[in-house]
């Protein structure tokens, strides 16, 4: 049905139009690759770091995806605190997350959860980049933090909610008479109630049409989920499943089937739901021990987030001339402070285990004379480099950060061009804004500018785009108003009246809507 992971990764670079993003993710996970995946499309760029096949970091040149802007958008940080912290971060070269914790603007635990959600958003956005070029790079830059995504959950969520339907239909084809079946013994991601309903319907080995009927889902939802299940190896053509050797009873009993998960939170701009924490490796919950102690929990998360970026001396908090006894005491103290035995919640226990491994490696490195000497030389070289070249000026560092692509800047420029009746120029900049951040408002204005360029040619397309926006975001007043205007132009008076009424309901102070409603009512009666 799909090329093997080894075949997918044989090509070091290419186009996502030919090798879809979820196919790449799955291949990297199965092959357990440690590498960097670079994506580029027009002005946009992203770099995703993988360790043993799992995404652990993602950087992009989109301003709204930076951690600070993300925290502002989520209401976790004010714009004033963000700007002040950003300036201080640039001047001191301290990551903004660390500064926010130092200032008490966010707790380490909450920061870690927001970093998980921020990374999930950046990765899910990649499913839209169907016209991007990709490149696999063997080397990786060790990530500063330790956020790790669940690849299977990421693939299921991304295909179900973000990937354009046309791309799904292009890369997943079969004849109407083909039957599908569950593949026994394959562990899958956590499923929503909708996903679980479809998965259970596969027990009856249905055709696609029968699967729709049994699950009660529409064509779009069914095809998306079936594509994800097949890619993850949970489902295959029935005849292919029959060819597989039967599993031993013990293996079948040991292999957990995908289970329904808890209710998920809405993803802005979509009809679907996404739980960013579901993209983090799942773990069972347990009775807390130190888990309910906010101080201990925050200290653990703070240490865990920073331990990757520290050398052995900084990690253990010892001087370069540390003696064996003091080194051993520092190691034992830290190992006891964050011992995995102190935590019963699996997520916190996992992080404590990760810290313990880091401390053990640092202790092992400094216990060996040659290794300790090598780390001293590295630190000395870093100090000389800093003194010799100097840190980049504040202006230079700000220039790097202000080069980030900002959707709101493109949107404001587009509005200016729209006001000047430069409809082609406005459409171009609304397109840029949608490329960077496909907010419903930006998409509504893009459709409106498209219509104004050539009403006679673009009416149907613009109207369909607007109907998609109001379906996904019923609270977008501008989208309803534009829908009414384009519907009038297409002589669909009843639809125009309904759209104006929806806009008026959202903003009763705008009396223009009353006049428009009355006018369209007269035309409907005619």
């Amino acid at each position: 049905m799909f090329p093997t992971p080894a075949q997918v990764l044989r090509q070091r670079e290419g186009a996502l139009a030919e090798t879809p993003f979820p196919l790449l993710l799955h291949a990297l996970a199965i092959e357990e690759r440690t590498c960097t995946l670079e994506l580029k499309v027009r002005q946009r760029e992203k770099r995703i770091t993988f360790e043993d096949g799992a995404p652990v970091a993602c950087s992009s040149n989109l301003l709204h995806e930076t951690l600070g802007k993300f925290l502002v958008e989520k209401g976790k940080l004010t714009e004033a605190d963000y700007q002040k912290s950003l300036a201080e971060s640039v001047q001191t070269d301290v990551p903004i997350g660390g500064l926010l914790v130092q200032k008490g603007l966010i707790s380490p635990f909450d920061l870690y959860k927001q970093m998980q959600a921020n990374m999930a958003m950046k990765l899910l956005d990649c499913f839209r980049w169907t016209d991007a070029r990709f490149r696999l790079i063997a080397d990786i830059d060790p990530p500063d933090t330790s956020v790790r995504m669940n690849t299977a959950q990421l693939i299921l969520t991304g295909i179900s909610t973000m990937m354009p339907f046309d791309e799904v239909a292009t890369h997943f084809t079969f004849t109407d008479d083909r039957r599908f079946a569950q593949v026994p013994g394959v562990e899958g991601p956590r499923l929503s109630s909708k996903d679980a309903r479809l998965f259970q319907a596969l027990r009856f080995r249905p055709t696609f049409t029968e699967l729709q009927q049994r699950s009660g889902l529409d064509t779009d939802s069914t095809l998306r989920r079936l594509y994800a299940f097949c890619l993850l190896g949970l489902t295959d053509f029935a005849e292919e499943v029959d060819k597989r050797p039967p599993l031993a009873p013990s293996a079948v009993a040991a292999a957990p089937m995908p289970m329904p998960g808890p209710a998920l939170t809405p993803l802005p701009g979509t009809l679907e739901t996404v739980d960013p924490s579901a993209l983090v490796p799942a773990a069972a919950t347990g009775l807390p021990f130190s888990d309910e102690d906010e101080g201990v929990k925050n200290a653990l998360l703070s240490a865990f987030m920073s331990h990757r970026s520290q050398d052995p001396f900084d990690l253990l908090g010892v001087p370069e001339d540390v003696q064996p006894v003091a080194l051993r005491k520092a190691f034992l103290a830290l190992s006891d402070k964050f011992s995995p035995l102190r935590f019963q919640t699996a997520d916190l226990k996992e992080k404590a285990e990760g810290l313990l491994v880091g401390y053990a490696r640092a202790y092992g490195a400094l216990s060996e004379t040659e290794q300790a000497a090598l780390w001293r030389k590295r630190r000395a070289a870093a100090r000389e480099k800093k003194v010799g070249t100097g840190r980049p000026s504040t202006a230079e560092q700000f220039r790097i950060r202000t080069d980030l692509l900002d959707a709101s800047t493109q949107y404001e420029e587009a509005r200016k061009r729209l006001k000047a009746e430069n409809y082609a120029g406005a459409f171009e900049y609304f397109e840029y804004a949608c490329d960077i951040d496909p907010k419903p408002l930006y998409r509504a204005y893009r459709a409106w500018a498209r219509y104004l360029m050539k009403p006679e040619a673009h009416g149907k397309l613009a109207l369909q785009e607007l109907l998609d926006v109001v379906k996904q975001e019923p609270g977008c007043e501008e989208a309803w108003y534009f829908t009414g205007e384009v519907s009038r132009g297409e002589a669909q008076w009843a639809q125009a009246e309904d759209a104006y009424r929806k806009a008026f309901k959202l903003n009763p102070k705008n009396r223009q809507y009353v006049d428009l409603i009355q006018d369209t009512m007269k035309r409907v009666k005619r």
Side-chain angles (χ1 to χ4, degrees), residues 496-511:
E497 179 190 345
D498 179 67
Y500 290 138
R501 288 184 182 277
K502 297 285 177 53
F504 177 69
K505 186 176 181 180
L506 291 168
N507 184 12
K509 294 182 180 180
N510 190 338
R511 306 307 297 178

Side-chain angles (χ1 to χ4, degrees), residues 397-472:
Q397 295 184 60
F398 264 120
R399 181 183 61 77
I400 293 172
R401 284 159 175 75
T402 53
D403 280 346
L404 293 169
L405 301 182
D406 181 14
S408 62
T409 302
Q410 314 296 328
Y411 169 71
E412 292 302 330
E413 177 62 27
R415 289 287 300 273
K416 291 178 184 177
R417 296 182 179 219
L418 190 66
K419 188 175 181 180
E421 299 185 357
N422 177 3
Y423 302 134
F427 175 79
E428 180 183 13
Y429 275 82
F430 284 132
E431 184 90 293
Y432 289 156
C434 290
D435 266 354
I436 297 168
D437 186 10
K439 287 184 177 179
L441 180 64
Y442 300 164
R443 292 164 54 211
Y445 267 99
R446 179 181 63 180
W448 178 233
R450 186 195 301 278
Y451 174 73
L452 293 176
M453 277 196 299
K454 292 184 179 180
E456 67 287 349
H458 296 164
K460 290 184 178 180
L461 176 58
L463 186 57
Q464 184 57 55
E465 289 177 337
L466 287 166
L467 291 174
D468 288 342
V469 172
V470 296
K471 183 180 178 183
Q472 296 179 0

Side-chain angles (χ1 to χ4, degrees), residues 152-169:
Q153 200 76 47
L154 183 66
I155 290 172
L156 176 58
T157 305
I159 292 175
S160 299
T161 62
M162 304 295 287
M163 193 171 180
F165 179 74
D166 289 348
E167 291 296 317
V168 175

Side-chain angles (χ1 to χ4, degrees), residues 165-234:
F165 179 74
D166 289 348
E167 291 296 317
V168 175
T170 297
H171 295 292
F172 186 49
T173 59
F174 48 85
T175 57
D176 293 340
D177 60 339
R178 298 301 292 270
R179 294 189 173 274
F180 297 88
Q182 294 179 354
V183 177
V186 178
E187 182 177 358
R190 188 169 61 186
L191 301 182
S192 67
S193 58
K194 187 182 292 187
D195 297 331
R197 188 164 70 248
L198 184 89
F199 188 74
Q200 292 303 318
L202 288 164
R203 292 184 302 169
F204 301 94
R205 299 191 162 214
T207 63
F208 182 79
T209 303
E210 292 168 349
L211 183 60
Q212 277 187 271
Q213 294 170 348
R214 285 186 176 276
S215 65
L217 303 180
D218 58 23
T219 300
D220 183 294
S221 298
T222 304
L223 189 65
R224 287 176 179 276
R225 285 162 175 79
L226 186 59
Y227 175 37
F229 288 162
C230 288
L231 181 58
L232 292 172
L234 300 171

Side-chain angles (χ1 to χ4, degrees), residues 42-221:
R42 293 184 288 279
Q43 298 173 296
R44 294 170 289 160
E45 297 181 20
K46 291 195 184 187
R47 281 194 166 204
I48 307 169
T49 302
F50 291 81
E51 284 187 355
D52 301 325
V56 294
C58 180
S59 60
S60 82
N61 66 340
L62 308 184
L63 181 62
H64 74 281
E65 290 187 345
T66 58
L67 179 61
K69 278 293 186 183
F70 179 80
L71 292 173
V72 172
E73 180 72 20
K74 295 299 180 183
K76 298 291 183 178
L77 188 67
T78 66
E79 181 67 28
D81 284 336
Y82 162 65
Q83 293 294 344
K84 186 176 179 180
S85 299
L86 176 63
E88 189 172 340
S89 174
V90 170
Q91 292 170 355
T92 61
D93 204 27
V94 176
I96 191 169
L99 276 176
L100 296 176
V101 171
Q102 289 176 19
K103 293 174 175 292
L105 295 172
I106 191 170
S107 71
F109 184 78
D110 199 14
L111 174 63
Y112 186 78
K113 291 300 181 185
Q114 294 304 318
M115 288 172 62
Q116 287 180 332
N118 178 232
M119 185 171 163
M121 179 190 74
K122 289 191 283 189
L123 292 172
L124 288 171
D125 182 58
C126 295
F127 286 83
R128 295 191 304 113
W129 291 28
T130 54
D131 52 351
R133 299 284 303 176
F134 75 86
R135 183 165 65 107
L136 291 169
I137 305 168
D139 296 331
I140 68 167
D141 294 325
D144 292 335
T145 56
S146 303
V147 178
R148 191 178 184 87
M149 295 288 107
N150 182 320
T151 302
Q153 200 76 47
L154 183 66
I155 290 172
L156 176 58
T157 305
I159 292 175
S160 299
T161 62
M162 304 295 287
M163 193 171 180
F165 179 74
D166 289 348
E167 291 296 317
V168 175
T170 297
H171 295 292
F172 186 49
T173 59
F174 48 85
T175 57
D176 293 340
D177 60 339
R178 298 301 292 270
R179 294 189 173 274
F180 297 88
Q182 294 179 354
V183 177
V186 178
E187 182 177 358
R190 188 169 61 186
L191 301 182
S192 67
S193 58
K194 187 182 292 187
D195 297 331
R197 188 164 70 248
L198 184 89
F199 188 74
Q200 292 303 318
L202 288 164
R203 292 184 302 169
F204 301 94
R205 299 191 162 214
T207 63
F208 182 79
T209 303
E210 292 168 349
L211 183 60
Q212 277 187 271
Q213 294 170 348
R214 285 186 176 276
S215 65
L217 303 180
D218 58 23
T219 300
D220 183 294
S221 298

Side-chain angles (χ1 to χ4, degrees), residues 333-348:
L334 286 170
S335 299
D336 180 64
K337 181 179 181 180
F338 298 120
S339 169
L341 298 176
R342 294 182 180 274
F343 303 94
Q344 290 192 351
T345 301
D347 185 44
L348 296 179

